[in-house]
Amino acid sequence: MVEKNSKIAIVNFTDKGSELAFTLQSELYRSKVFSTRAIEETKNSKRIDSLDELLAQQFHKFDAWIFIGALGICVRSIAPYLENKQVDPAVINIDDQSQFVQSVLSGHIGGANELTLQLSRILQAQPVISTSSDLQGVWSLDVLASKFGWKEHCSVAKNQAISTFVNRKKTALVLKVTDKGTTFLEQSIPEFVDLFYTVDAVNTAEYELLLYVGYELITTDIPVWSYYPPCLALGSGCAKDLEPELLELELSKALKQEGLAEASIFAIGSAAIKAEEQAYLEWAEKRDLPFITYTGDELKTVVVANPSETVLAKVGVPGVSEASAALMGGQEDWLVEKTKVLTASGKKFTYALTIGEAFMRKPAIAIVGAGSGDPELLTLKGQKLLEAADCILYAGSLVPEELTHMAKPGALVRNSASMTLEEQMEIMDSYYSKGLKIVRLHSGDPSIYGAIQEQMTLFDAKGYDYFIVPGISSFQAAAAYLKSEFTIPEVAQTIVLTRGEGNTPTPKHEKIVDMAKLRATMCIFLSAGIAKKVQAELLEHYPPETPLAVLYRVSWKDEQVWTGNLTELTTIIKENKLTRTVLIVVGEAIGARKNRSWLYDDQWHHIFRKKQKVVKSE
C-alpha cells in the first residue's frame, strides 16, 4: 500500500478520466489532479494546457504518477524524463473505463506494483504486473533492504543476482540475526531456497547464490547479496582530543579484521565526559548515527568483562567501551570484548561491540495449543510456529497427527505419548543447546488440563526462554457444535470448567456436588470413567430434565455427539463404551433460544449508542 506521506500526481485527458481521477483522489492522501479538461480548480486540482511542460517541471517532485488514458500517451510522455530505477517515481496507467491498472515504471523500488494492487482494489479492476518476481510470488531482492530498514551490498551486479534468483536457481539463505524482515523471509521461503543460520553450514558448491542477513562480512566463491540490519552497538573510550581521521582509519581497519560490517552499527556510545569529543561526533555525523553517552552511575550498572584499574582511577568506572556497548545493546554478552588500538599519533582508543538484544537469534520453546482437533481451528500463530520449528513434540493421544504435517523438511517430529517428562526434556535440551526452535504441541488450550506447569518449572530452573500460544478448547468447540451460547442472560452467566474426582483427587473446595449449587453451564473434562458418580452429584442440585450433551472428540473427523437430559448421562456413556476424550456439558444454556440480551436493545444506551433526543411537537 502506498505510504500516507507519498505525493501522488493523477493525470487525465477525458471527462470520464476526470471523474475517475477525483474518485482516486478521495482515496489517496496527498494526491493532486492534473487535467486537460475543464475542471474546478482548487489547491489540489489544476487544469493544464501542456502535459510536457508539467512533466518537465515536476516529474521527479512526485513519488508516483497515475495516468488515466491510453498506455501509449503515458509511455511517450514520460520517456524524456527517465533517469534510473533508483530515483524515478512510480508510474501507473489506467484506462479511462477503469478495466485495467498497469504498473509501468519503478515497480519494486518506486512501489508501483504495490500501488497497482491498491488501485485495482479501489476500482475493482484487473491489475497488470509484469515483474517476474511478483508473478512468481518470490521476493524482490532489490527492495528488501528499503522495506525492512536494512543496508545492503551485492558482490556482483544486482541484475545478475536478480536474474539468478527469478530463474529459480538453487539459493542459500543465511539468517544470522532475527527481526521483522527475517521473520517474513522464514515464513515465505520459496522451494528453491534452503535456509541456514550460519554461513559455515552452507556448502557453496551446491548453490548459485547466497543471501545473507546479519552483521558479518561474507566472502565466498559464489555471488553474495548481504543485508545488514542495524543490530550492532559500538562502545568506545579514547584519549583526549583523539584525531577524527585516525579514529576513522583505525576503526574501519579493526572492523574489517573482525569480519564485521560497519553498515550494521546502529549507534556509537561512550562516557558522558566524552560528549564533546570531536572524533566521535564526526564519526557519528558522517554516518548519520546517534552518539550516545552515559553517566558514571549508568556505566557502573554493567559488570564488564575486562575491568581496568587505570580507567577506574581516571574516569571512576571499571570500563567504558564494554559498558556503553552493553547499555545500548540491552544485554551483556559481547560480540567483541574490549579491544585496544594504538593510533599513529600515539593516542589510544578502545572499542567493544554487542548485538542488540532484539536481534539476537536465541532458542525458544513455544507451548502451542493445537485446538480442539480440527486442524483449521489451529491459530495462525500456531501454524507459523509449527512450520518454522526444528523440533516438534506432540501429545499424540490427544492431538491429530495431521497437524504435524505442517513441519518443514528435516524437522524432528516425535509423539510424546509414550515418553516420560525426563525423556521429553532430553530431546528439548539437545535442540535448545543448538539455538533451535522447539514446539511443544498440546491439545486444546494449554492452560486447561495441559500438564504444562511441570514443564515450565523445569524450563524456569534451566533458564530457558519459552512462551505460550493459546488454542481453541474443546468446550468452545462444543458450544459451536451445539450452536449454543453458554452464557444466557437471566439463565446462566457462569461457565464452570472442571473434572470429577477419580484416581486423582480434587481440592476439597472444588467438589462437583458443591459447584452444582450454582446451576451454571458446567463443562466436565476427564470424567467418562466415573460418569455414574458425576451424574449423582449433579442431580443433587440440577433438575433431572436439565439439558445434557456428551461430546466425543468434538471437531475431529470422527466426532460423535449425544444430547438428552441429565438423567441419561450414565446410559449414554455406558452404551457407547466411551472412556477417553469425552467432554460432558450440563446446563440450561444448551440449545437455549430465549431471553434477549440488553446489549442490542433499543432501550439500552451506552457510549457507542447514545440516547436519542425526543423532539416534542407543539
Side-chain angles (χ1 to χ4, degrees):
M1 184 176 290
V2 66
E3 297 291 335
K4 284 190 174 182
N5 61 353
S6 296
K7 292 179 62 179
I8 301 174
I10 308 173
V11 182
N12 63 89
F13 315 100
T14 65
D15 291 339
K16 181 67 174 176
S18 293
E19 180 183 332
L20 189 57
F22 287 114
T23 297
L24 294 178
Q25 186 180 49
S26 68
E27 296 278 345
L28 302 173
Y29 183 74
R30 295 187 69 196
S31 59
K32 196 166 186 176
V33 171
F34 298 96
S35 178
T36 60
R37 308 300 291 172
I39 61 171
E40 181 180 349
E41 296 195 61
T42 67
K43 178 183 177 181
N44 293 314
S45 59
K46 301 291 182 183
R47 184 186 179 280
I48 59 171
D49 293 315
S50 170
L51 175 59
D52 187 63
E53 184 177 327
L54 172 69
L55 293 174
Q57 295 175 354
Q58 301 197 51
F59 184 64
H60 285 94
K61 292 182 179 180
F62 284 87
D63 300 302
W65 287 78
I66 301 172
F67 286 77
I68 303 175
L71 177 61
I73 296 176
C74 168
V75 173
R76 286 193 295 271
S77 299
I78 65 175
Y81 309 105
L82 303 184
E83 295 183 20
N84 59 68
K85 66 180 182 180
Q86 303 299 326
V87 299
D88 287 336
V91 177
I92 294 93
N93 192 81
I94 306 172
D95 63 281
D96 68 1
Q97 299 303 306
S98 67
Q99 293 185 22
F100 299 96
V101 181
Q102 183 161 357
S103 175
V104 178
L105 185 71
S106 296
H108 287 157
I109 296 177
N113 291 353
E114 288 187 62
L115 182 54
T116 292
L117 294 174
Q118 183 183 357
L119 296 175
S120 69
R121 291 190 291 268
I122 294 171
L123 301 174
Q124 291 186 296
Q126 174 64 49
V128 180
I129 296 175
S130 57
T131 314
S132 179
S133 58
D134 290 275
L135 292 174
Q136 295 185 60
V138 298
W139 308 319
S140 302
L141 301 184
D142 52 348
V143 299
L144 289 177
S146 60
K147 184 175 183 178
F148 297 115
W150 301 337
K151 295 178 181 177
E152 62 183 333
H153 172 74
C154 192
S155 65
V156 296
K158 288 184 178 180
N159 284 343
Q160 178 184 335
I162 292 171
S163 176
T164 299
F165 190 71
V166 298
N167 281 294
R168 310 178 82 80
K169 302 299 183 183
K170 286 288 291 181
T171 300
L173 170 66
V174 177
L175 302 180
K176 187 69 175 179
V177 297
T178 184
D179 68 354
K180 182 179 179 180
T182 62
T183 299
F184 164 76
L185 295 178
E186 286 182 286
Q187 293 175 354
S188 58
I189 193 164
E191 74 278 0
F192 62 93
V193 177
D194 292 331
L195 176 61
F196 302 90
Y197 295 105
T198 64
V199 175
D200 292 342
V202 181
N203 181 359
T204 56
E206 298 177 3
Y207 300 95
E208 295 189 36
L209 177 65
L210 173 64
L211 305 177
Y212 173 83
V213 185
Y215 48 80
E216 300 165 305
L217 297 173
I218 305 300
T219 302
T220 71
D221 51 359
I222 60 173
V224 180
W225 198 320
S226 296
Y227 299 97
Y228 301 118
C231 58
L232 296 184
L234 171 64
S236 183
C238 71
K240 186 177 180 181
D241 295 329
L242 173 66
E243 296 84 351
E245 64 276 10
L246 293 182
L247 174 68
E248 173 95 19
L249 174 67
E250 295 298 338
L251 190 52
S252 176
K253 186 189 302 181
L255 289 170
K256 288 180 180 177
Q257 290 175 345
E258 301 279 5
L260 301 176
E262 184 181 294
S264 282
I265 296 174
F266 66 81
I268 183 171
S270 192
I273 59 173
K274 294 294 180 181
E276 302 301 321
E277 191 69 48
Q278 197 62 31
Y280 291 144
L281 293 171
E282 289 188 19
W283 191 93
E285 182 180 11
K286 186 173 182 179
R287 290 155 181 80
D288 193 26
L289 295 176
F291 173 40
I292 302 171
T293 59
Y294 297 96
T295 65
D297 288 340
E298 290 173 317
L299 294 172
K300 287 177 183 177
T301 63
V302 179
V303 179
V304 297
N306 299 279
S308 168
E309 293 295 333
T310 302
V311 175
L312 182 61
K314 291 184 177 180
V315 186
V317 296
V320 172
S321 57
E322 289 178 337
S324 55
L327 290 170
M328 288 186 294
Q331 55 93 18
E332 298 179 16
D333 185 10
W334 291 272
L335 179 65
V336 177
E337 294 184 358
K338 181 178 74 175
T339 303
K340 298 177 182 179
V341 177
L342 176 64
T343 68
S345 68
K347 293 181 178 179
K348 299 177 181 179
F349 71 89
T350 63
Y351 68 89
L353 293 119
T354 60
I355 304 171
E357 196 274 337
F359 292 90
M360 293 186 69
R361 183 166 290 280
K362 299 180 293 185
I365 301 171
I367 301 173
V368 176
S372 56
D374 182 351
E376 292 186 353
L377 292 179
L378 177 70
T379 63
L380 290 174
K381 185 171 185 178
Q383 177 181 340
K384 291 175 181 177
L385 289 166
L386 280 174
E387 291 171 342
D390 300 294
C391 171
I392 299 172
L393 292 179
Y394 71 103
S397 59
L398 301 171
V399 174
E401 189 265 342
E402 59 191 299
L403 278 170
T404 66
H405 296 173
M406 299 177 186
K408 66 184 180 182
L412 175 72
V413 179
R414 294 285 304 275
N415 182 349
S416 64
S418 63
M419 297 181 189
T420 65
L421 178 59
E422 289 70 25
E423 289 171 333
Q424 296 170 39
M425 283 305 305
E426 186 177 347
I427 293 173
M428 288 189 278
D429 286 343
S430 66
Y431 276 78
Y432 196 94
S433 65
K434 297 174 184 176
L436 300 175
K437 299 176 181 178
I438 303 163
V439 167
R440 185 70 179 94
L441 191 61
H442 285 262
S443 61
D445 182 274
S447 67
I448 302 174
Y449 304 110
I452 62 172
Q453 62 86 19
E454 59 221 48
Q455 297 175 61
M456 294 188 294
T457 298
L458 290 177
F459 298 159
D460 290 338
K462 292 173 178 287
Y464 285 179
D465 287 327
Y466 63 92
F467 57 95
I468 300 172
V469 179
I472 300 294
S473 173
S474 58
F475 87 88
Q476 295 166 301
Y481 180 95
L482 297 168
K483 296 181 180 177
S484 297
E485 179 182 344
F486 283 175
T487 53
I488 305 292
E490 301 178 55
V491 175
Q493 292 289 273
T494 302
I495 302 173
V496 176
L497 309 180
T498 189
R499 65 171 179 82
E501 185 172 49
N503 293 331
T504 303
T506 57
K508 292 181 179 180
H509 55 280
E510 291 187 13
K511 305 300 182 184
I512 282 184
V513 67
D514 296 324
M515 289 185 285
K517 294 176 183 178
L518 297 173
R519 290 177 58 177
T521 303
M522 190 174 293
C523 302
I524 306 170
F525 296 76
L526 307 170
S527 300
I530 53 171
K532 184 176 181 179
K533 178 182 178 182
V534 168
Q535 178 178 305
E537 292 178 324
L538 293 171
L539 283 171
E540 289 194 30
H541 298 286
Y542 285 91
E545 66 275 12
T546 301
L548 164 78
V550 178
L551 304 101
Y552 169 76
R553 288 164 59 117
V554 63
S555 86
W556 291 55
K557 290 180 179 178
D558 58 348
E559 69 180 355
Q560 290 182 277
V561 177
W562 298 266
T563 58
N565 60 53
L566 180 53
T567 58
E568 299 175 274
L569 172 57
T570 302
T571 301
I572 291 172
I573 295 290
K574 185 176 180 180
E575 289 184 352
N576 294 284
K577 300 179 181 179
L578 302 176
T579 58
R580 299 173 57 252
T581 56
V582 173
L583 176 66
I584 300 166
V585 184
V586 178
E588 292 290 338
I590 298 174
R593 295 290 185 271
K594 56 186 177 182
N595 292 34
R596 173 174 168 171
S597 167
W598 280 99
L599 180 62
Y600 300 108
D601 192 279
D602 59 4
Q603 298 302 308
W604 189 260
H605 308 292
H606 47 72
I607 188 171
F608 298 109
R609 188 169 62 243
K610 303 295 185 182
K611 186 175 183 179
Q612 298 297 315
K613 292 183 179 180
V614 179
V615 179
K616 295 182 179 179
S617 58
E618 296 294 333

